[in-house]
Amino acid sequence: MIDASWNRISTVDGSVGMREVSRIHLNNNQLTDLDWVTAFPKLQRLHVDDNRIKVLSLPPKAPKLLGLSIAHQSLAADERFTVTKAAMALLGETLEDLDVSELRLEDVNFVSELPRLKSLTADGNAVKDANGLSALVLLKELTKVSLLDNPLARERQFMEQVAVLCAELEQLNGQAMTPTQREFMRKLARRREVRKRSPAKPAAIRVATAHYAQLRVSGKHQERTPRSPRLL
């Protein structure tokens, strides 16, 4: 393993004897790209948090990564972090763990190209609704999801929405989720959907129905039977 964090490194050169390295930590440096990863053909896990990378791009001969942490890059106020389709295609062959926290992301649907992904951390982004997570339904091996400090995570139905998308979810925002809890969340989401699709009664009808029911309970409403005619 190589750990060269906090060293103001801006470029990385492959050195003799480094080709066997499988894990690299280069957090809190000044890197702007990942083109140098080809110098480490056996690299499996890469940590490059807190650098200056604006685009997640990989060279064609990039190593087969199992884990990538690229959280919290230094971006100007008007800059957005972007992910290339080519990089996702390369990572999709092997990647199991991905951390893209604090990158101002409005959605994480680029993970649709990562069928082997098991753990996704995207804390501190700008995901506002379930549309920004729709690709999660494609990830059959995904068991851990963290979306802390996203607008969506503050919504009442957040847990239900993620449980519906992730069939094998075992942990959400650091909290364990059992199969029973997962199934309960799905049923709750289905009931909400049914109620949403059912036509609502007009307000006047709802009030009249409630008033009628109240009269029946109180005994004030009685059915009248017709009287027989009086004989003179």
Side-chain angles (χ1 to χ4, degrees), residues 2 13-21 39-41:
I2 295 176
D13 294 323
S15 303
V16 177
M18 295 291 184
R19 296 179 64 83
E20 301 298 317
V21 173
F40 305 92

Side-chain angles (χ1 to χ4, degrees), residues 104-121:
R104 304 177 190 168
L105 299 173
E106 295 182 357
D107 70 78
V108 293
N109 290 329
F110 53 82
V111 300
S112 62
E113 303 295 328
L114 306 176
R116 297 181 182 275
L117 197 66
K118 297 179 179 178
S119 174
L120 172 64
T121 303

Side-chain angles (χ1 to χ4, degrees), residues 115-176:
R116 297 181 182 275
L117 197 66
K118 297 179 179 178
S119 174
L120 172 64
T121 303
D123 299 336
N125 281 298
V127 181
K128 297 179 181 180
D129 54 46
N131 292 329
L133 306 176
S134 58
L136 300 190
V137 74
L138 302 173
L139 308 182
K140 305 305 181 183
E141 298 184 26
L142 188 64
T143 59
K144 296 181 181 179
V145 175
S146 185
L147 292 159
L148 292 166
D149 297 321
N150 278 270
L152 175 62
R154 295 190 286 271
E155 298 293 329
R156 290 182 59 186
Q157 299 173 24
F158 166 67
M159 294 182 67
E160 301 168 30
Q161 292 171 328
V162 179
V164 168
L165 292 170
C166 303
E168 302 299 325
L169 189 65
E170 297 177 358
Q171 183 176 302
L172 178 59
N173 286 1
Q175 301 295 318

